[in-house]
Amino acid sequence: MTATQEDIHFQADLTRKRLQLRLNEVWLAAGTSEAKQRDFAARLQEHWRPLFALLLRFYGSRYDFFYFAEKVLLAAARAWAERPDDLCELDRHRINQPGWFTSEKVVGGALYVDLFSENLSKLREHVGYFKRLGLTYLHLMPLFAVRPGDNDGGYAISNYRSVDPQLGTIDDLRLLARDLRGSGISLVLDFVFNHTSDDHEWAQRAQAGEREYQEFYYLFSDRTEPDKYEKTLREIFPTVRRGNFTWHDGMHKWVWTTFNSFQWDLNYGNPAVFCAMLEEMFFIANTGMDVLRLDAIAFIWKQMGTSCENLPQAHMLVQAFNHLARIATPGLLFKSEAIVHPDEVVKYIGPDECQISYNPTLMALLWESLATRKTTLLFQALKHRHALPENTAWVNYLRCHDDIGWTFDDQDALAVGIKPFDHRQFLNAFYTGQFPGSFARGVPFQENDATGDMRISGTMASLAGLEQAINENDEEKKDLAIRRMMLLHGVILSIGGIPLLYLGEEWGMLNDYEFVKDPAKAGDTRWIHRPKMKWEFLEELDDHIATGNGSIRSRIFESTKRLISLRQSSPALAGQTMDLFNTDNEHVLGYVRIREGHRLVVLANFSEQLQAVDGNRLRTAGLGRFFRDVISGQPHQTSDPVPLEPYQLLWLNRE
Ligand code: GLC
Ligand code: GLC
């Protein structure tokens, strides 16, 4: 151990001792039981030193560092003291089962409360629907109080402690969380900690000239600094405004606004911001959250001369928040939302940082394979990008509320003979339906004329060809579109990690072109893939079950539901470990999942042609001579080629 580390430990221990009296005051005021105090003390013992070291690095030079450390510790103590009993009970289970979320039973869904059920109390009436589908994890899109007008789908938050009145109240949220927990469904909410809305109280006080609050944000009196920063920054929303700064007339200052002009980036260089957001985090967690989705995590630290994305300090800040969660809300998980280069995405994942993370690379490459009918690039990326540390997991998804960006690695592409720039151009043309023969009906998002960049909006069904097929009333195309959707679902349900459905997918919901009529949405094409739930579909489904004749929608719904339940009864699909299997057929992706003596081999045909995989090759996958596809029930044997229909997915089990 180096002298400095020893010194830090000494300081940490001393600080803790000096704060013991203040802790006792918290326990006394809240009437915290001795057992609960002991739990806290044990976790503090484990996490205080590393936490202290991190805080010291960021804020150690401040004259009031001791006062800051005290505030942080007391916030944690109060959060634990106020944590409801049922959550503390859950904490105990999860501490003993740190990989609980890697079970094959875990399947997620995401939705907007207003678009799905109007409000929180009505959402409680749909718990049965989630159970019917097999969901055990529910991500509600941001539901806190927001600025009027455009609020970036809830991501411009004006108060982290009150729910948007149109959706309900904090108590409604607590009740919903309790109901869901009772039904075995975990709840996920965003922690939008990179920025607040321009009408958050802090931003308002900054606008009123209060220096203390101006220091919560990045404000500049003239262009000198912004211009210097700008040299190395990307533009995230180039159609909103060029550059990353917005002029504020009232304050006469430039404000750092990475996203929309009304989303003001928070300055974590200021310890007051860390404390304030920590308290908001604990508040949200204690309403009954199992997971917090750390929104825009890549952007939370800025440094001149860098891209201001994925900086080491961003990781350290999240690690500090994570230690604090382990101390005060230990059952809580962090989910990383870093839609960046794959080498960077993975760095946020670890038991000490974010236990789970979106898997944007898999998402983009599944769509890539669908467009090219080849699994070469997907295979290349999966070879070295799927493995994760113990007790962490990918969140595998096909669509979410955001756009699709082609964030694959250029080197991965070059390694298989693909020119990255041209390929992205091709994918954009393909998914906007411009490429001859394309089945996709997406639209551009944030087209940047200066760089030629573009991302894609569109629902899963519209991108997979269902919209085109319905418009052309072509039965064969409809069939192919549905097969594509089931293929993609079958992969995310089996490849290792938490599968996450964006609700609406289970019905094959098409693009909603009506969003342009709402001025608060018209400028953002992502609204095209955020349609309103149509509950009449459910009645239609029940009618069809009664009469035995199914519509496209009920076929999609029933197939999705069935795949989910097959996953949940396949113990081989738990965990994250996946071994690629070389099918010797570029159209067919193959992988093996092995878990505690269970084994499942997956073959996925990404083309609309019949394909086959040599049965003998499958011997090396450990299937034995006779095996069966659990999806179709079809038996196979190694002595014959294994045929795959267009877009067919096989989950092969030893007989
Ligand atoms: C995240 C959200 C996205 C939002 C952005 C700014 O990337 O997923 O919808 O626009 O953050 O909050
Ligand atoms: C960028 C950001 C990501 C955000 C997305 C929204 O890709 O990296 O955080 O979700 O833009 O379009």
Side-chain angles (χ1 to χ4, degrees), residues 14 16 23-24 46 72 120 235 265 269 345 352 410 436 439 461 465 474 521 549 614:
L14 189 69
R16 209 181 121 191
L23 273 187
N24 294 344
E46 186 183 343
V72 167
L120 284 171
E235 293 176 299
D265 288 47
V345 174
D352 298 331
D410 288 1
F439 48 75
D474 183 323
K521 297 180 173 174
N549 81 56
D614 178 3

Side-chain angles (χ1 to χ4, degrees), residues 193-252:
F193 72 135
N194 176 68
H195 45 262
T196 73
S197 165
D198 60 357
D199 76 340
H200 188 285
E201 189 194 334
W202 307 332
Q204 283 189 2
R205 295 179 75 166
Q207 285 164 57
E210 287 187 48
R211 241 193 103 165
E212 186 186 343
Y213 289 97
Q214 294 196 341
E215 285 171 0
F216 268 48
Y217 301 96
Y218 291 94
L219 306 181
F220 308 91
S221 324
D222 59 46
R223 284 298 306 183
T224 323
E225 299 249 312
D227 283 344
K228 278 198 223 154
Y229 276 115
E230 210 64 271
K231 285 193 184 125
T232 49
L233 296 178
R234 285 202 280 164
E235 293 176 299
I236 304 302
F237 288 166
T239 62
V240 163
R241 162 214 70 232
R242 298 320 302 259
N244 288 269
F245 301 86
T246 302
W247 175 251
H248 190 274
D249 247 348
M251 292 185 298
H252 245 76

Side-chain angles (χ1 to χ4, degrees), residues 234 236-237 259 296 299 337 339 402-403 445 455 526:
R234 285 202 280 164
I236 304 302
F237 288 166
F259 296 92
F299 300 89
E337 190 252 344
I339 314 302
D402 278 333
D403 45 286
F445 178 66
R455 278 119 70 191
R526 289 175 296 173

Side-chain angles (χ1 to χ4, degrees), residues 376-397:
T376 331
L377 183 52
L378 177 60
F379 190 87
Q380 171 67 19
L382 284 172
K383 272 202 281 197
H384 63 123
R385 300 192 182 279
H386 192 74
L388 286 183
E390 189 68 7
N391 293 332
T392 62
W394 286 117
V395 175
N396 296 319
Y397 65 113

